[in-house]
Amino acid sequence: MSYLELDNVTKIYPNGTKAVNETSLSISEGELMVFVGPSGCGKSTLLRMIAGLEDITGGEIKLDNRVINKVDPSERDVAMVFQNYALYPHMNVYKNLAYGLKNKGESKEEIEKKVNEVAELLEIKEFLLRKPGQLSGGQRQRVAMGRAIVRNPKAFLFDEPLSNLDAKLRGQVRIEIKKLQKQMGVTSVFVTHDQVEAMTLGDRLAVINEGVIEQVGSPIEVYEKPATYFVAEFIGTPQMNFINGKIHANKFISDEFECSINKDVKDQEVIFGIRPENLKVSANGSIKIKVDLIEKLGADSIIYGYDKSNNYLCYRENGNTKIKVNEEISLEIEDENYHLFDQETKKRLN
Amino acid sequence: MSRIFRITVSHSILICGVLLMIVPLWLVFASSTHSNSFIYNEGMQWKIGGEFFDNYDRVLNRKGGFTKEITASGIFYNSFIMAFGIASLSVFVSMMAAYSLVYFKTRFSTLFFWLIFVTLLVPLELRILPSYQIVSDLNLLNSYAGLILPLSASAIATFFFRQYYRSIPEELLEAAKLDGANSWKFFIDFLVPLSKTMIAAMFIFMFVYGYNQYLWPLIMTTSEKYWTVVMGLKMIYGGNSVDRYTYVILSLIPPVIIIVFLQRLFIQGLFQSK
């Protein structure tokens, strides 16, 4: 059942910029939806519209069967975790957590009970009397989470909450957020530009580009079957390789190589995409590259090189590779794992 | 070696500064404890004399002026009321003005701000006749309200509060909104506690400004009951008598009290943005 629903939501700023363009999306109860996209794609604007911090130019947002377009942010029953946490610097942690409850008019005992519960859950009990300035980044992050949880909202909104943490902590907190979210079963929207976060956290992803949702799907769906050229390019590191060419008689033909297509596609100009891990070295492989650069990451090695028609291609090999720079290698496509996109509409063809 | 040298130099500079402030004060204080004739003959004194109680008692309680209606303690009281009123009102008004300028994004808020700011170029001295006219029409001559109101909107304090509010991150307002704070609550629960130090600093500035007023009270008070400190110095204690020194020392007390109370916040307000 759809719980949080966006119906043709549009945001146009007074200066005419279209930040979000007729976006529709439905999120079911308890689901963690991740908005992912490059900076300036409108993902934060979308989130802020759900929170009520931006006016909605057109369309409708429904939460739990109630249209919330014109509802005051405090009455929407959503809680937000901000990028810089936005903790109240002059209040101690206890008051930070209690402030929203106090404004709701809850009794002192009730507030104390709830705050203590959350503090215990997040292991911030010993900091309750400290001010945010005396906490470390990770602790502040917890308090920000606590402030959202304590109100027991219908939806959590996360606006890139991990980007201020160092890499190691980010990984830990990511796991904690995922666990907490599942444990509490609260519908959540998580905005990030980091695709690792998106892939690991989300039940589903919405990949957003220039105010438009390009694809919605589970992380693996999005990775394995990108709906558009943009999604293919955006999701996955190292990036997918792209080769321009055309389809003729169900065969992909480029200057470099040919390959028969397993699906009926009409003759047209296409972009052929293949992920680095779907290539393998083979003596009679049809793609030949001259190695330009090798990155050894320990667990695997990433080999970059130019083919004859000067496409910069990337190939991933497990473990520590024996390939050397300037060597010529032949690659072939593994298990028909390739992606075809229309050159004009950029939509997926296979 | 160089560290000791540096400390010596910086401390000598600081000590010089302190002496520069303290020595004249001490000279006035020591002189204020001698008898009138002694000072008249011998000039200002470095040593404390034996007339402390007599002098201070006389100055505080003797009726002065032409109609003998006011004592120095009355004058200090008047000035304290005036300065306190100006300081509290102008801090309050400036905070509200800055709040509306920063957080209620009306179309011309920048224009309004500059209009307010431009009033700095029109000090009270320049608009003293129309101000007098207005206060007189409102029947506020010879009243505390008349002394206070024309000076209780400060462009400079509005400017400081505006700059400070602009440095407060937008997310704080947004988080507060989600937590159910309306505009008034945000002001009371957030801006007031966050700008505590700024309030203290502005209060002190405006207090001293109000305490030092001369021309405005001189023009608008015809009753000696409403005389203020600087007027008193001119009107009653202008002569070359020991009472003048006593009066000067006594007149220092109200601002010093304010500063002693607000000092810690004041210093933070000057040197920190948050």
Side-chain angles (χ1 to χ4, degrees):
Chain A
M1 193 193 84
S2 152
Y3 191 71
L4 174 60
E5 192 161 340
L6 313 183
D7 187 12
N8 280 319
V9 172
T10 302
K11 173 76 192 182
I12 302 169
Y13 283 107
N15 63 11
T17 321
K18 215 172 210 183
V20 176
N21 193 3
E22 298 190 358
T23 295
S24 297
L25 180 69
S26 73
I27 302 170
S28 35
E29 190 162 7
E31 188 179 21
L32 202 169
M33 171 65 81
V34 174
F35 291 172
V36 62
S39 25
C41 73
K43 56 190 190 301
S44 282
T45 311
L46 203 54
L47 188 82
R48 292 164 56 82
M49 284 198 283
I50 299 173
L53 301 172
E54 298 273 359
D55 292 333
I56 300 161
T57 318
E60 236 174 35
I61 298 181
K62 274 194 212 162
L63 179 62
D64 197 11
N65 290 320
R66 181 169 72 135
V67 179
I68 54 170
N69 281 33
K70 298 276 174 207
V71 178
D72 191 78
S74 62
E75 322 243 291
R76 291 189 181 200
D77 220 353
V78 297
M80 189 154 163
V81 178
F82 292 84
Q83 182 170 8
N84 62 6
Y85 317 137
L87 299 178
Y88 311 139
H90 57 297
M91 300 183 189
N92 63 28
V93 171
Y94 182 91
K95 287 188 180 148
N96 262 283
L97 297 182
Y99 188 69
L101 301 175
K102 209 178 95 194
N103 285 338
K104 271 192 190 168
E106 297 197 14
S107 72
K108 263 211 165 91
E109 297 78 46
E110 191 72 5
I111 293 176
E112 197 174 330
K113 199 180 125 227
K114 285 186 182 173
V115 170
N116 280 328
E117 262 172 37
V118 170
E120 205 138 311
L121 178 73
L122 292 172
E123 294 164 23
I124 49 175
K125 237 179 157 172
E126 62 259 51
F127 315 126
L128 278 180
L129 295 179
R130 288 203 209 156
K131 295 228 171 123
Q134 300 161 303
L135 301 178
S136 71
Q139 290 163 346
R140 281 182 216 180
Q141 163 69 39
R142 278 159 184 277
V143 176
M145 288 282 297
R147 200 171 60 183
I149 293 171
V150 79
R151 289 175 46 204
N152 195 18
K154 284 185 179 152
F156 283 144
L157 308 175
F158 297 90
D159 190 4
E160 309 210 14
L162 304 182
S163 52
N164 280 349
L165 300 175
D166 63 60
K168 193 175 162 218
L169 206 52
R170 202 179 306 161
Q172 286 173 9
V173 177
R174 200 171 67 206
I175 294 165
E176 274 175 36
I177 289 182
K178 175 111 183 164
K179 276 190 190 160
L180 266 173
Q181 196 270 339
K182 285 289 153 255
Q183 189 182 335
M184 307 189 54
V186 176
T187 312
S188 306
V189 181
F190 192 104
V191 163
T192 180
H193 62 263
D194 181 321
Q195 46 164 306
V196 179
E197 258 169 44
M199 297 288 288
T200 50
L201 270 173
D203 294 325
R204 284 194 299 156
L205 312 184
V207 185
I208 302 179
N209 183 31
E210 293 179 352
V212 176
I213 295 186
E214 299 258 340
Q215 184 176 9
V216 181
S218 73
I220 291 304
E221 245 169 68
V222 170
Y223 188 80
E224 288 183 345
K225 287 228 175 288
T228 64
Y229 174 75
F230 172 81
V231 177
E233 193 189 22
F234 188 75
I235 300 289
T237 20
Q239 224 185 42
M240 191 186 278
N241 298 304
F242 295 104
I243 299 163
N244 288 331
K246 62 182 180 209
I247 301 283
H248 183 67
N250 276 345
K251 228 173 169 185
F252 171 76
I253 301 164
S254 75
D255 301 346
E256 179 71 16
F257 75 103
E258 294 181 8
C259 132
S260 51
I261 303 297
N262 55 359
K263 197 186 160 197
D264 279 346
V265 177
K266 74 174 167 55
D267 293 1
Q268 60 185 313
E269 304 273 302
V270 296
I271 304 167
F272 183 92
I274 177 150
R275 294 215 181 267
E277 65 269 30
N278 296 135
L279 289 168
K280 65 178 177 197
V281 177
S282 145
N284 44 15
S286 49
I287 309 172
K288 295 188 171 55
I289 63 169
K290 187 175 183 210
V291 177
D292 175 54
L293 178 79
I294 298 173
E295 289 178 335
K296 294 189 178 180
L297 303 177
D300 44 22
S301 310
I302 297 164
I303 295 118
Y304 298 89
Y306 290 97
D307 70 1
K308 269 194 310 213
S309 36
N310 238 8
N311 290 311
Y312 201 48
L313 300 182
C314 164
Y315 151 62
R316 187 206 294 259
E317 188 178 272
N318 283 337
N320 204 343
T321 184
K322 300 227 160 36
I323 298 170
K324 298 263 180 323
V325 174
N326 285 334
E327 202 174 310
E328 297 230 357
I329 54 174
S330 307
L331 301 169
E332 73 172 13
I333 296 158
E334 216 175 41
D335 307 330
E336 301 189 334
N337 266 322
Y338 54 80
H339 313 265
L340 288 174
F341 302 98
D342 188 319
Q343 269 199 17
E344 265 175 41
T345 63
K346 310 277 185 195
K347 292 248 169 19
R348 186 180 183 88
L349 293 170
N350 64 332
Chain B
M1 174 61 202
S2 77
R3 195 171 146 263
I4 293 170
F5 178 72
R6 250 187 303 134
I7 289 176
T8 319
V9 169
S10 55
H11 277 68
S12 340
I13 293 173
L14 290 175
I15 288 167
C16 285
V18 169
L19 289 178
L20 207 66
M21 305 291 250
I22 290 289
V23 167
L25 210 59
W26 174 255
L27 205 54
V28 173
F29 177 70
S31 306
S32 76
T33 56
H34 290 275
S35 73
N36 210 0
S37 53
F38 185 71
I39 293 293
Y40 196 77
N41 291 324
E42 306 285 327
M44 294 184 89
Q45 296 298 309
W46 290 103
K47 285 191 192 139
I48 300 234
E51 306 281 323
F52 178 84
F53 289 105
D54 288 349
N55 286 348
Y56 280 79
D57 180 55
R58 188 173 65 247
V59 168
L60 274 176
N61 297 316
R62 191 187 64 194
K63 305 242 185 222
F66 307 107
T67 57
K68 306 289 177 211
E69 273 184 282
I70 186 85
T71 60
S73 41
I75 285 178
F76 297 141
Y77 177 75
N78 285 345
S79 272
F80 186 82
I81 295 286
M82 179 181 177
F84 197 87
I86 288 174
S88 336
L89 260 181
S90 62
V91 164
F92 180 72
V93 170
S94 312
M95 282 183 83
M96 293 305 243
Y99 182 44
S100 63
L101 285 174
V102 175
Y103 288 98
F104 294 85
K105 293 193 175 80
T106 51
R107 238 173 112 201
F108 299 110
S109 60
T110 316
L111 180 73
F112 283 133
F113 169 69
W114 286 111
L115 279 178
I116 292 172
F117 203 68
V118 157
T119 63
L120 275 182
L121 302 177
V122 196
L124 184 73
E125 286 73 12
L126 216 62
R127 52 188 161 86
I128 202 128
L129 289 178
S131 298
Y132 183 85
Q133 180 77 51
I134 292 169
V135 169
S136 150
D137 288 349
L138 291 170
N139 280 328
L140 291 176
L141 294 178
N142 289 321
S143 72
Y144 287 128
L147 281 170
I148 292 167
L149 286 177
L151 293 163
S152 59
S154 160
I156 196 81
T158 308
F159 171 75
F160 274 107
F161 279 115
R162 173 184 181 259
Q163 295 314 99
Y164 179 69
Y165 291 165
R166 280 159 66 106
S167 76
I168 292 176
E170 188 86 348
E171 283 88 350
L172 209 58
L173 172 67
E174 293 176 343
K177 264 192 201 164
L178 286 171
D179 262 347
N182 55 26
S183 320
W184 182 244
K185 266 205 173 123
F186 181 68
F187 183 70
I188 296 293
D189 289 347
F190 289 81
L191 292 183
V192 173
L194 283 173
S195 46
K196 228 166 35 188
T197 56
M198 185 63 86
I199 291 172
M202 286 302 127
F203 190 90
I204 290 180
F205 276 130
M206 296 316 294
F207 186 90
V208 171
Y209 170 75
Y211 200 72
N212 286 339
Q213 283 302 315
Y214 175 57
L215 189 60
W216 177 245
L218 182 69
I219 296 225
M220 67 135 307
T221 55
T222 48
S223 156
E224 288 177 11
K225 272 190 221 154
Y226 288 99
W227 277 10
T228 58
V229 162
V230 191
M231 285 174 79
L233 186 61
K234 172 80 175 65
M235 304 290 209
I236 310 178
Y237 299 100
N240 187 15
S241 86
V242 72
D243 290 356
R244 181 174 54 173
Y245 303 131
T246 312
Y247 183 84
V248 166
I249 292 296
L250 284 169
S251 74
L252 290 172
I253 293 171
V256 166
I257 289 175
I258 294 287
I259 289 174
V260 165
F261 274 110
L262 296 178
Q263 180 197 34
R264 199 174 48 86
L265 287 174
F266 174 66
I267 291 170
Q268 282 174 15
L270 288 183
F271 294 107
Q272 296 178 341
S273 61
K274 269 179 208 162

